Amino acid sequence: MPINVWDYLREYDELRDEILATVDRVFRSGRLVLGQEGVKFEREMAAYLGVAAGVGVNSGTDAIYIALAALGVKAGDEVITVPNTAVPTVSAIRTLGARPVFVDVRDDDFLMDVEQVEAAITPRTTAIIPVHLYGQCVDLDPLMAIARRHGLKVMEDCAQSQGALYKDHQSGSVGDASSFSFYPTKVLGAYGDGGMVMSDDEAVIKLARSLRFYGMETVYYSERHGYNSRLDEVQAAILSLKLPRIDGWIDRRRAIAARYNQALAGTGIVLPRENAHSRHTYYVYVVEHPTDRDGVLERLAGAGINCNVSYRWPIHIMRGSADLGYREGQFPVAERKAQRIFSLPMYPLLKDEEVDTVIDVLKGVI
């Protein structure tokens, strides 16, 4: 049988009875949208992060643009982020009519190079999105200091960092707001789409609740332009069921990463680095091959090891971003990494013998 980079079926087999009972309970409740399951999960997520409140929305992408809108970002503003993120980060900025402004990433951890941020600030800059990529947090203390000096908002993109720690803080609890994705592949994944806006700021939460529901605060009366973006009751209930398990799942991810680290040291594969200020969750286990990434992937696939690349193209060189005016060569670290990186199989129910098979096959093909 092939070994895939991710799989949910074993998790479903393990939780099937509880999930089906949960879904049945929701269906029998008579309320499928904006009911008590969503309220319960919002409170549980807020408690897990240690922030005031959360607002469940339809997707991680929606969580980004609703969070930005609730922070006051508007058309014509500039938002600083990185080019090696997933398309949704930038898509959300542009949905608001704002302009993404990129800074490069660091060579050792793929994360925002905070030292480049200040030079990218202009009079139109209103916010910064640090992307906590692959399961590890951007160095937030110096970033927050820059933001405070310039009166900017910080919105943490936590789509890949549920459960990660920055020093003693949960990912998503440091900035002015944060966004989470519950896409099925995530550390905390739904059985469909979903997302959440998190914040300690009561005004941000209140506005996000209005924006997700057509700008309404009372039924059928819109106070402002808004959207239709609601986390449904079935997904909220499933996520509540899974939330207490994620720390154990993160421990298992870290154990798999340690197994990879030990066995692959000295092979010529560049291994991921965990920063001293972080607890890495290894949402994905990203390695580099400096000369023949695509050849390695082809040979792995031929042996039944199906890996992934997150991501092959930095945003600024995609045709869909051509109108932003960037050119190839402007962000050399992100561009170089995109040619070298790939992700090994990583999910909590991956068996040790499967990890060992991946290691042995990888050693053979390189």
Side-chain angles (χ1 to χ4, degrees):
M1 294 291 290
I3 300 174
N4 294 321
V5 72
W6 171 79
D7 188 283
Y8 79 91
L9 292 174
R10 291 178 188 172
E11 176 197 281
Y12 180 66
D13 286 342
E14 187 175 273
L15 300 179
R16 181 177 183 274
D17 290 345
E18 293 175 81
I19 289 171
L20 293 180
T22 296
V23 171
D24 185 64
R25 185 185 74 239
V26 174
F27 286 169
R28 290 177 181 275
S29 73
R31 187 68 179 263
L32 299 178
V33 179
L34 294 183
Q36 289 307 305
E37 298 288 353
V39 171
K40 177 176 178 286
F41 179 56
E42 289 172 347
R43 290 172 177 167
E44 290 168 349
M45 270 289 290
Y48 183 87
L49 262 65
V51 300
V55 180
V57 297
N58 187 59
S59 68
T61 311
D62 287 7
I64 296 170
Y65 76 72
I66 289 174
L68 290 174
L71 289 170
V73 176
K74 60 188 184 305
D77 289 350
E78 293 179 351
V79 178
I80 296 172
T81 191
V82 291
N84 68 329
T85 186
V87 169
T89 307
V90 173
S91 176
I93 296 168
R94 303 191 76 181
T95 295
L96 289 171
R99 174 184 169 81
V101 173
F102 298 121
V103 297
D104 211 346
V105 296
R106 305 193 324 177
D107 187 71
D108 56 1
D109 61 9
F110 312 95
L111 300 174
M112 175 180 275
D113 187 344
V114 175
E115 293 182 359
Q116 296 188 27
V117 168
E118 204 146 19
I121 296 171
T122 75
R124 290 189 174 185
T125 308
T126 55
I128 306 169
I129 300 181
V131 179
H132 301 320
L133 202 65
Y134 303 153
Q136 183 165 222
C137 293
V138 172
D139 193 1
L140 287 169
D141 283 349
L143 184 66
M144 294 300 296
I146 291 169
R148 296 296 173 253
R149 280 200 300 273
H150 293 272
L152 306 177
K153 300 296 185 181
V154 173
M155 203 296 294
E156 298 177 65
D157 182 343
C158 303
Q160 298 190 2
S161 64
Q162 173 90 45
L165 296 179
Y166 175 72
K167 299 182 177 177
D168 58 346
H169 302 288
Q170 279 282 339
S171 170
S173 67
V174 177
D176 299 287
S178 59
S179 63
F180 285 80
S181 169
F182 305 122
Y183 187 74
T185 61
K186 306 302 183 185
V187 172
L188 179 60
Y191 283 65
D193 228 327
M196 191 168 287
V197 177
M198 312 296 299
S199 184
D200 263 330
D201 188 324
E202 183 178 338
V204 170
I205 291 295
K206 182 179 179 181
L207 185 50
R209 289 197 192 284
S210 174
L211 290 171
R212 75 168 175 187
F213 190 39
Y214 308 108
M216 294 180 184
E217 294 180 9
T218 57
V219 178
Y220 301 132
Y221 188 91
S222 174
E223 298 285 349
R224 57 190 59 82
H225 172 66
Y227 317 97
N228 174 20
S229 184
R230 298 164 291 192
L231 180 65
D232 72 66
E233 291 288 276
V234 170
Q235 300 302 339
I238 291 172
L239 290 163
S240 284
L241 170 67
K242 294 174 69 173
L243 180 60
R245 293 170 164 86
I246 68 166
D247 284 334
W249 288 341
I250 289 168
D251 288 343
R252 174 59 183 159
R253 287 175 178 272
R254 290 177 58 81
I256 293 169
R259 201 174 188 94
Y260 280 141
N261 288 343
Q262 182 176 14
L264 295 174
T267 61
I269 291 288
V270 181
L271 304 178
R273 164 186 150 171
E274 181 175 42
N275 291 321
H277 60 64
S278 291
R279 177 178 77 158
H280 203 315
T281 64
Y282 296 99
Y283 164 63
V284 282
Y285 184 90
V286 177
V287 300
E288 297 177 63
H289 193 283
T291 58
D292 188 28
R293 185 268 312 277
D294 290 345
V296 170
L297 287 176
E298 183 178 347
R299 295 191 291 276
L300 285 171
I305 310 297
N306 297 315
C307 298
N308 188 39
V309 179
S310 300
Y311 302 97
R312 286 183 177 272
W313 302 278
I315 303 291
H316 69 287
I317 64 173
M318 295 184 184
R319 284 189 295 273
S321 298
D323 60 309
L324 295 176
Y326 290 106
R327 65 185 185 280
E328 195 166 345
Q330 281 189 263
F331 305 105
V333 178
E335 292 171 29
R336 184 172 66 251
K337 295 292 185 185
Q339 300 300 315
R340 298 179 177 184
I341 57 174
F342 62 100
S343 305
L344 298 182
M346 171 60 77
Y347 56 95
L349 292 173
L350 197 64
K351 299 173 183 176
D352 283 347
E353 54 265 35
E354 291 173 318
V355 176
D356 292 341
T357 297
V358 172
I359 290 165
D360 290 343
V361 173
L362 180 57
K363 285 181 174 179
V365 303
I366 61 173

